Amino acid sequence: MVDVAKAAGVSLATVSAAVNGSAPVSAALKGRIHKAIRQVGYKTNAIARSLKTGTTSTIGLMVADITNPFFTTTIHAIQELAHRHGYGVMLCCSDEDADKERMHLRLLADRMVDGFIVASAGETPELRALVEGGRTPVVLIDRLVDGLETDAVVIDNVAATRDAVRHLAAAGHRRIGLITGRRTLSTGRERYEGYRQALEEAGIAFEPALVGSARFGADDGYKAAAKLLSLADRPTAIFACNNLSGIGLMRAIHDAGLRCPDDIAVACFDDFDWANVFHPRLTTVAQPTQAIGVQAMLLLLERLKDATARALPPRVVRLKAELRVRDSSVRPAR
Amino acid sequence: MVDVAKAAGVSLATVSAAVNGSAPVSAALKGRIHKAIRQVGYKTNAIARSLKTGTTSTIGLMVADITNPFFTTTIHAIQELAHRHGYGVMLCCSDEDADKERMHLRLLADRMVDGFIVASAGETPELRALVEGGRTPVVLIDRLVDGLETDAVVIDNVAATRDAVRHLAAAGHRRIGLITGRRTLSTGRERYEGYRQALEEAGIAFEPALVGSARFGADDGYKAAAKLLSLADRPTAIFACNNLSGIGLMRAIHDAGLRCPDDIAVACFDDFDWANVFHPRLTTVAQPTQAIGVQAMLLLLERLKDATARALPPRVVRLKAELRVRDSSVRPAR
DNA sequence: TTGTATGCGTTATCAT
DNA sequence: ATGATAACGCATACAA
């Protein structure tokens, strides 16, 4: 920039003013300056600017599983919107590991990101300090964390699961199994609650034996499902609380020599491109993944751009998920 | 940091030396300093450091489609390895749009990332300038770009496709269709070439009518597939050159009232979790997605950490993909 | 409207 | 071994 100033025969400050429009500069000088910029091949140094302004035009995005199509679409939406507003996105993945999340949170904080969007793997001192510090806005997505008062975008997991299980009950099923995710997550707890509600609503007694727990990955889901399927009086329908346990469930059904939906009805959380293609076409709870990302980024942008908005109380927006009934949950007519 | 110095009663320079180990500091002072650091709650400001050192400990990752499971796993591997080495990852997605890619490349360059990993949507002046400038290391993944001499990690697309089509031919198919991706991409060209080679090898005459083109997304794949299927003398087997066109293909088959593999055999590029679960279990070409990410990051790290390695000539590593034969490509015994 | 001077938080070069 | 001081490249308050 000093080179540009020299080449254009003006002062440093004038160049800065011309580049940022922070002060009026005569048209003549502007022309000279821009010409000089091209000549010198000047590129504004964002680092130096950051040091001076205290902002990096970068947000930190922390997700629990980047491999999950659910997060993938959300990340995409966030990234798209962020870029449109001049923000870069620094991505971190905790792999559902709270310790990793802490590390990454520190990495992001060190780099002085202007804001955070995080799908937390669990409450940590770092996360709490971050939101309580109040210096950097953070918006939670997908999962709420207890006692953390900050912006958030989640879906109504209770209603979504209730709808799905209600659908199963309406089809005549009385023994409905559940494969839950981790109860330490708000999603896990809420979906479990939705299951209970639907059961009660349908006048079906809750049976602990019918709920399996898949804390990590498809293999865990497989084991939980296999256990359910080996019950003497096995369920005639099963709802899987996430994508991965859904995969495990379908594998277990296949390996048990059972057929879906003839022998057992299935529905699961999280829709994905292929769900509609194979046999059986899978009944799913489709989250508004794109909208979640957009909403989250919008919330963050408000706090970022608008000084008065920074003082606003926490806003949590709950979006609705949609039950997509396909073949896997409805027994074919005989 | 100046506060720390004050609190510990030492000079700024000494604190810096103690923190970075850049100069010997007596144990006594070290103790005082670290205590002061905790007292003050000091956190090193990466921005200021970057301004001084000229490095950001951040790499730019540019992919064409973050929604694609292929990229997803690769991104994950890159991110993991980067973090282990103290690097942050700034993620950009071009959506297969060269113009977007240019914008994002500029965004990353402005932020002074130390290195790039890019799955390019096409050659652009920005990309060329970047590698020819030689100031920042660039490693290409998935796709090579003509005339760009830089590190790269790709797979042997010709061999992979040849293997898959050969498998189809070996099963007795003589009319084998192809749904290609964009020919402007190296992957598109190489996979097409592999198809031609397998045909020639099997003594099957090439028929232009049997190759459809799906440039963007599943819908495009659907159309291309539908056209192939409506041919008077339609193919008895089809190979889809990527995940998305595979989805379109399967939908088209279903909508045409055909059954796979009974009426038509199918194989497609890119494996994914669900491929093995539904009926028909899908025959796929599985890329070593994780290895691609690891290799790419390794290549980049070498250039980043080792001053002498920066002068090394471009290295392109070609990994092998693996054909996973499942049900969709083999006609059941009658 | 334009220029001068100063500081952002580090690291690095020199003395001491 | 430690301390004073000068950059790094930009933005801005203030003076002209």
Side-chain angles (χ1 to χ4, degrees):
Chain A
M1 190 153 170
V2 58
D3 300 330
V4 175
K6 231 173 277 175
V10 298
S11 90
L12 193 62
T14 311
V15 177
S16 177
V19 168
N20 299 313
S22 49
V25 176
S26 71
L29 275 197
K30 241 183 226 165
R32 283 230 311 274
I33 289 172
H34 281 112
K35 197 173 131 200
I37 285 180
R38 273 188 297 278
Q39 265 179 11
V40 182
Y42 165 79
K43 303 218 29 165
T44 160
N45 182 330
I47 302 299
R49 169 180 292 165
S50 291
L51 182 57
K52 183 64 185 168
T53 62
T55 69
T56 51
S57 292
T58 298
I59 69 159
L61 175 53
M62 171 100 224
V63 299
D65 178 11
I66 197 209
T67 262
N68 189 322
F70 161 70
F71 283 120
T72 269
T73 314
T74 303
I75 293 171
H76 186 252
I78 290 172
Q79 188 254 189
E80 168 82 20
L81 195 48
H83 283 157
R84 246 212 295 281
H85 287 262
Y87 284 87
V89 174
M90 193 155 277
L91 179 71
C92 290
C93 178
S94 69
D95 294 323
E96 300 283 9
D97 176 341
D99 287 333
K100 260 194 206 170
E101 179 174 320
R102 302 172 62 171
M103 274 187 34
H104 294 161
L105 244 25
R106 279 197 294 264
L107 180 143
L108 292 172
D110 284 351
R111 293 213 177 22
M112 313 259 292
V113 296
D114 292 342
F116 290 84
I117 296 181
V118 8
S120 175
E123 197 219 311
T124 60
E126 277 75 5
L127 185 57
R128 179 167 296 279
L130 204 59
V131 338
E132 288 180 351
R135 303 184 52 79
T136 316
V138 5
V139 7
L140 265 21
I141 55 173
D142 190 44
R143 305 126 184 238
L144 258 17
V145 2
D146 273 355
L148 273 200
E149 308 246 317
T150 187
D151 289 350
V153 182
V154 294
I155 66 158
D156 189 341
N157 286 288
V158 177
T161 310
R162 200 196 316 118
D163 286 352
V165 175
R166 181 188 285 159
H167 158 70
L168 260 15
H173 295 281
R174 304 293 294 176
R175 299 187 60 72
I176 304 175
L178 180 77
I179 302 183
T180 72
R182 311 168 61 191
R183 288 287 184 82
T184 55
L185 265 27
S186 67
T187 48
R189 288 192 301 270
E190 291 173 9
R191 290 171 195 180
Y192 178 73
E193 171 64 19
Y195 169 76
R196 298 289 301 256
Q197 286 190 11
L199 250 41
E200 180 161 352
E201 200 182 277
I204 302 176
F206 169 70
E207 264 187 61
L210 290 187
V211 0
S213 164
R215 301 180 54 207
F216 304 105
D219 291 342
D220 228 29
Y222 180 92
K223 277 182 216 140
K227 199 164 149 197
L228 255 44
L229 295 176
S230 68
L231 251 35
D233 193 8
R234 65 170 153 77
T236 61
I238 298 184
F239 182 74
C241 278
N242 65 56
N243 203 304
L244 259 24
S245 56
I247 295 182
L249 170 58
M250 292 307 283
R251 279 209 195 113
I253 289 174
H254 179 264
D255 287 1
L258 264 22
R259 288 171 27 170
C260 168
D262 311 71
D263 301 319
I264 188 156
V266 163
C268 74
F269 231 93
D270 293 333
D271 199 30
F272 56 98
D273 287 341
W274 287 96
N276 198 17
V277 174
F278 289 102
H279 179 80
R281 292 161 63 246
L282 204 61
T283 293
T284 60
V285 174
Q287 299 197 49
T289 50
Q290 179 130 345
I292 293 173
V294 170
Q295 264 306 326
M297 193 62 210
L298 250 26
L299 250 33
L300 190 56
L301 280 170
E302 280 182 29
R303 305 243 134 147
L304 255 23
K305 305 242 176 183
D306 186 353
T308 68
R310 300 197 65 126
L312 250 41
R315 302 156 292 179
V316 0
V317 357
R318 277 208 188 257
L319 268 21
K320 284 201 321 196
E322 175 198 352
L323 178 65
R324 296 199 177 144
V325 176
R326 293 195 273 248
D327 307 332
S328 70
S329 61
V330 312
R331 213 171 317 192
R334 348 190 153 200
Chain B
M1 189 154 172
V2 59
D3 299 330
V4 175
K6 233 173 276 177
V10 297
S11 90
L12 189 62
T14 311
V15 177
S16 177
V19 169
N20 299 312
S22 49
V25 174
S26 72
L29 275 198
K30 240 183 224 161
R32 283 228 310 273
I33 289 172
H34 281 110
K35 196 173 132 201
I37 285 180
R38 270 189 298 278
Q39 265 180 12
V40 181
Y42 166 78
K43 303 219 32 167
T44 159
N45 182 328
I47 302 298
R49 170 180 292 167
S50 290
L51 180 58
K52 187 62 185 164
T53 63
T55 70
T56 51
S57 292
T58 297
I59 69 158
L61 176 52
M62 171 101 225
V63 299
D65 177 11
I66 198 211
T67 263
N68 189 322
F70 161 71
F71 282 121
T72 267
T73 314
T74 304
I75 292 171
H76 186 253
I78 289 172
Q79 188 254 189
E80 168 82 22
L81 195 49
H83 283 158
R84 248 213 294 281
H85 287 262
Y87 284 88
V89 174
M90 194 156 277
L91 179 69
C92 291
C93 179
S94 68
D95 294 323
E96 300 284 9
D97 176 340
D99 286 332
K100 262 194 205 169
E101 180 174 320
R102 301 173 62 172
M103 276 188 34
H104 295 161
L105 245 24
R106 279 197 294 263
L107 181 144
L108 292 172
D110 283 351
R111 296 220 177 12
M112 315 259 293
V113 296
D114 292 342
F116 289 84
I117 296 182
V118 7
S120 175
E123 198 219 312
T124 60
E126 276 76 5
L127 185 56
R128 177 167 298 278
L130 204 60
V131 339
E132 288 179 352
R135 302 183 52 79
T136 315
V138 175
V139 8
L140 264 23
I141 56 173
D142 191 44
R143 305 123 184 240
L144 259 18
V145 1
D146 274 354
L148 273 201
E149 309 244 318
T150 188
D151 289 350
V153 182
V154 294
I155 65 157
D156 189 340
N157 286 290
V158 177
T161 310
R162 199 193 320 115
D163 286 353
V165 176
R166 182 189 285 159
H167 157 70
L168 260 16
H173 294 283
R174 305 292 294 174
R175 299 187 60 73
I176 304 175
L178 181 76
I179 301 182
T180 70
R182 311 168 61 190
R183 290 287 183 80
T184 53
L185 265 26
S186 67
T187 48
R189 288 192 301 269
E190 291 174 11
R191 291 170 194 180
Y192 178 74
E193 171 64 20
Y195 168 76
R196 297 292 300 254
Q197 286 190 11
L199 251 40
E200 180 161 354
E201 200 182 278
I204 302 175
F206 170 70
E207 263 187 63
L210 256 29
V211 359
S213 164
R215 301 181 54 207
F216 304 105
D219 291 341
D220 228 29
Y222 180 92
K223 279 180 216 143
K227 199 164 148 196
L228 255 43
L229 294 176
S230 68
L231 252 33
D233 192 8
R234 66 170 153 76
T236 61
I238 298 184
F239 182 73
C241 279
N242 63 56
N243 203 303
L244 259 22
S245 57
I247 295 181
L249 170 57
M250 293 305 284
R251 278 208 196 115
I253 289 174
H254 179 264
D255 287 0
L258 265 21
R259 289 171 27 170
C260 166
D262 311 70
D263 300 320
I264 188 156
V266 163
C268 76
F269 231 95
D270 292 334
D271 199 31
F272 56 99
D273 286 343
W274 287 97
N276 199 17
V277 174
F278 288 101
H279 178 79
R281 292 162 61 244
L282 204 62
T283 294
T284 60
V285 174
Q287 300 198 49
T289 48
Q290 177 131 346
I292 292 173
V294 170
Q295 264 305 325
M297 193 62 211
L298 251 25
L299 251 32
L300 190 57
L301 281 170
E302 280 183 28
R303 306 248 154 173
L304 254 23
K305 305 242 177 186
D306 187 354
T308 68
R310 298 198 65 125
L312 250 41
R315 302 156 293 177
V316 359
V317 357
R318 276 209 187 255
L319 268 22
K320 284 202 321 199
E322 175 198 352
L323 179 65
R324 297 199 177 142
V325 176
R326 293 195 274 246
D327 306 333
S328 71
S329 61
V330 310
R331 211 170 319 192
R334 343 192 156 201

